[in-house]
Structures are given as C-alpha cells and as structure tokens.
Amino acid sequence: MSSTPSVPASAPLRVIMVCTVPTDRSGIPMVMYNLLRNMDLNGMDVTYVAINEPPAEMQAMLAGLGVRLAVIPRKLSNPGAYLHALSQMAKGADVVHVHGNSATMALDLSAAALAGVRVRLPHSHTTSCRMKLIHAFFKPLFHRLSTGRLACSRPAGEWLYGDRPFIVVRNAVETSRFRFSPDARKEVRRRLGIGEQCVIGHVGSLIPVKNHDFLLDVFEVFQKSNPDSRLLLVGDGELLPSLRRKAHDLNIADKVIFCGSVPDPQDYLSAMDLVIMPSLYEGLPLALVEQQANALPILASDVITREADLTGSIRYLPLSLPPSGWAEAAAEALAASRHTPEGSERNIRAITEAGFDIRRVAADLRDYYFSLAAAVRQ
C-alpha cells in the first residue's frame, strides 16, 4: 500500500465498511473501529454496516467519530432482503470494504456491484470457517466480484484468495493503551477479589473457534499444582452457559472468573500473569498484539500464524498435546516471565518497529481508498 498521502477530491470519498459478524467489543468489529479511530476522516463520508444492533457503547463510539451506522440483518438462508437493503444504501458509494471470514462475502460484494460501486474490497480475517460447503459454493462469484483483496495476515490471504495477489493490512494496535500498568493490576485484582494468586487469562468471544473447552481442561490440570491460581475469561458469547457447566463439572467453578465484555480490556491484561489462546483457527489475532504490548507471556495453538509473534513472547503448542503438556508449558512460561513495565516498553518498541502501529496502518489504508477511487474515475 502506498504511504504517499492522497489529496481528497472536492466531494467527500464515500466509504462503506461492512462487518459480516455481530458487532460487539471483540475481533473484527474492534479491528474496524481501531482503524477508523486512527484514520484521518477528513474528506471522507464513512458508513459502518452492522448485521445486528450494536451495544449502546459501540454505537456511541462510532457516533463520536462521525461515522454513520446502518443496521441491516444478514441471513444467508434468506439473502434477498439483505441484498436489496445493502445495494440501495450503497448507491453512490466510492468504496465498499467488507470484513469477514469466508467467500460468503460474495453476498455483500454482490450488493455493492448491483449499486454500481466500482471499488469492492473483501478483507480476510481468519484462516478457515465453519460453513465450508457454503464457502466453496460462493467462491467463484466471490472472486469475480472482488476488485481488490485485503487480509490481516499472509496465511489469511492465502486461505481465502489462493495464488491471487492481495495486500496485508496488519491488525495493528494503539500500543500505548496496552502498556503494563501496576496500578491497573492492583485495581482490577481488588475489584475481582484476587490477591497475589497466579492468574491465567484469555480475551475473546465465547465461541467454538476459541476452544475454551480445552482451555478449561488445561486450567483444571494446572490448578492441581497451583491451587491458588485463577482463570480469568474476558469476553461474552453463546458458550457461556455450557462453559459455566463444564467449570462446575470439573470442580473449578470457584476458580474461574467470567468477566463478560469489558470496556477496558487493557487493564485486565495487566491483572493477568499468562495468556493461553488455544484457538482452532485464527487470522492474526489483534488480542495477541495487545497482549505482547503488555509483556504477557503467551501460549498459543500452532495453527495461529507465526507472524503474530512480534516480540518472542509467544510459545506455540500443538492442539494434539494433552492438557497436561499445556499446563507444564504454562508453568515454564510463568517462570521465565518478563511481565514488567520494562518488558512492556521493550515489546512496544518491537511492535512499532515491526509495522504494527495503528496510526501508520490506518494512514496507508486511507491512501489506498483514495488511490483506487481515483483510478476508476479516470
């Protein structure tokens, strides 16, 4: 992507960003929000399309940026209403940028094409999907309708686009927000009733791909050797009831803290001692970059791209390794931890040098929008 600033046209550049997953404080929606918050929106007219009614705080966050919100329910079982509503709303837009996990983004790209939008950009955020048959069905149409291709990492791009060219838009962060804070650590632990106990953490939606079932198994083994330890789960989702039941069945319910979605995840990172992310698949998780900025030691499943390890803080383990092996690796990682203010500053420098500073990434994306729009006008 060019880093040469583009001059806005006399009329604002109309950009529609479509989120194909539910909008909450997690994953793809937060990547989109962080890009918008750190982008110079001068000369732009931006609409964020959500498929659900976002939480009030998310609506306020978008409104604070001057970004319009459009809520259009999206059901693959009955796509007609969505296609019609999105195509009507997209008329006159310069760019439609669709964020998602599969070739089902063909639906959103079709709406953009029907509206006459000439710059149609899918953005891959993962390396697999649950609806593989539907994904395969949509792939030919998806490729025909894409006029550009974006991905959060090389594996995410290769999975969705194959050998077609694409551009990596890194899942970058505001590194200073995630700096380790001893004060935040004390306050969050006080609020949660945690003293000096060892805290293993995870930040992410409670959905199957995050593999919380396995994480509970790992913690059940770990706490046998560390009986005062706690498991801190930040995030909400469909699996909350079943995970509560499993924690009860494993006799660890009194040691597992379900925090739900929180407005200040950076403070909860400071309260943790170790992060475990045993995902079944991912693109390049934004959470991993944030956790490295906080200097947390991290255990991650080896299906996650090595591109995520910007600081040497991540140890990759196979999901075939039993929970006891992960628990042993957790003990080793804790013994070697550099979760300190000094470690955080060192990691922030490495993250910035690796090109994962959000301000630069957002500026490049803005320039890309303007350059593509200018090219199709000629």
Side-chain angles (χ1 to χ4, degrees):
M1 240 183 277
S2 170
S3 60
T4 303
S6 299
V7 179
S10 55
L13 187 80
R14 187 169 171 226
V15 176
I16 296 174
M17 296 183 79
V18 182
C19 185
T20 62
V21 302
T23 293
D24 55 22
R25 292 189 65 92
S26 66
I28 293 175
M30 289 309 297
V31 170
M32 296 170 67
Y33 173 71
N34 288 337
L35 284 169
L36 288 169
R37 182 164 69 174
N38 289 276
M39 187 179 293
D40 176 7
L41 299 181
N42 177 52
M44 298 175 66
D45 178 350
V46 181
T47 300
Y48 178 107
V49 175
I51 63 172
N52 63 307
E53 190 74 28
E57 61 176 313
M58 291 292 291
Q59 295 189 39
M61 288 160 62
L62 291 169
L65 298 176
V67 173
R68 291 187 180 88
L69 170 65
V71 178
I72 309 177
R74 181 182 191 267
K75 294 183 179 179
L76 294 178
S77 59
N78 183 22
Y82 179 79
L83 256 176
H84 176 74
L86 183 56
S87 63
Q88 289 298 307
M89 196 269 291
K91 285 181 178 177
D94 297 288
V95 177
V96 171
H97 182 177
V98 186
H99 296 255
N101 294 320
S102 71
T104 62
M105 286 186 280
L107 181 61
D108 317 270
L109 298 173
S110 294
L114 287 170
V117 181
R118 297 176 66 188
V119 179
R120 304 183 295 272
L121 306 173
H123 192 146
S124 176
H125 284 269
T126 189
T127 55
S128 187
C129 69
R130 283 192 282 176
M131 301 179 293
K132 289 186 169 57
L133 288 176
I134 299 176
H135 166 73
F137 174 80
F138 273 114
K139 279 185 82 171
L141 178 62
F142 170 79
H143 290 309
R144 283 201 303 274
L145 292 171
S146 303
T147 63
R149 302 170 193 86
L150 305 176
C152 68
S153 67
R154 295 221 64 81
E158 290 164 358
W159 175 76
L160 188 56
Y161 307 125
D163 59 2
R164 296 169 177 83
F166 61 89
I167 292 172
V168 173
V169 178
R170 295 183 176 97
N171 282 357
V173 303
E174 297 174 72
T175 51
S176 60
R177 287 185 62 224
F178 294 90
R179 182 177 281 112
F180 176 81
S181 168
D183 291 339
R185 180 181 177 87
K186 290 177 184 175
E187 173 56 23
V188 171
R189 283 179 168 241
R190 182 199 64 76
R191 220 161 52 221
L192 298 176
I194 301 171
E196 296 303 314
Q197 294 100 323
C198 172
V199 175
I200 292 176
H202 182 280
V203 180
S205 298
L206 306 182
I207 55 178
V209 66
K210 299 298 183 181
N211 205 12
H212 289 87
D213 265 343
F214 184 75
L215 176 55
L216 288 174
D217 290 333
V218 172
F219 180 71
E220 191 269 336
V221 175
F222 179 85
Q223 59 84 38
K224 288 178 179 177
S225 301
N226 302 270
D228 288 335
S229 58
R230 297 290 183 270
L231 177 62
L232 185 58
L233 301 179
V234 178
D236 207 348
E238 64 193 70
L239 295 184
L240 177 59
S242 64
L243 293 173
R244 285 191 185 277
R245 285 195 299 272
K246 176 160 185 170
H248 179 269
D249 293 343
L250 292 174
N251 295 314
I252 56 174
D254 60 330
K255 299 180 180 182
V256 180
I257 303 171
F258 292 91
C259 295
S261 181
V262 300
D264 51 352
Q266 66 276 8
D267 292 346
Y268 285 76
L269 295 184
S270 291
M272 298 173 185
D273 296 301
L274 169 76
V275 165
I276 298 181
M277 183 180 277
S279 300
L280 300 177
Y281 54 84
E282 292 275 3
L284 195 157
L286 184 68
L288 282 184
V289 183
E290 296 167 351
Q291 290 153 12
Q292 289 175 83
N294 197 266
L296 279 161
I298 301 163
L299 301 183
S301 59
D302 63 2
V303 300
I304 299 174
T305 176
R306 264 53 175 186
E307 288 181 62
D309 189 6
L310 309 174
T311 63
S313 302
I314 302 176
R315 180 175 175 184
Y316 292 92
L317 299 173
L319 291 172
S320 58
L321 188 69
S324 58
W326 281 69
E328 182 179 341
E332 294 169 357
L334 285 162
S337 175
R338 295 183 294 177
H339 191 212
T340 63
E342 295 76 20
S344 181
E345 293 300 330
R346 183 167 50 248
N347 281 8
I348 286 172
R349 287 195 296 273
I351 291 167
T352 301
E353 290 169 4
F356 280 76
D357 181 81
I358 188 65
R359 290 166 296 183
R360 181 70 266 162
V361 173
D364 285 350
L365 181 59
R366 171 193 160 88
D367 290 345
Y368 188 56
Y369 288 157
F370 275 99
S371 65
L372 289 179
V376 299
R377 288 173 183 153
Q378 293 176 356

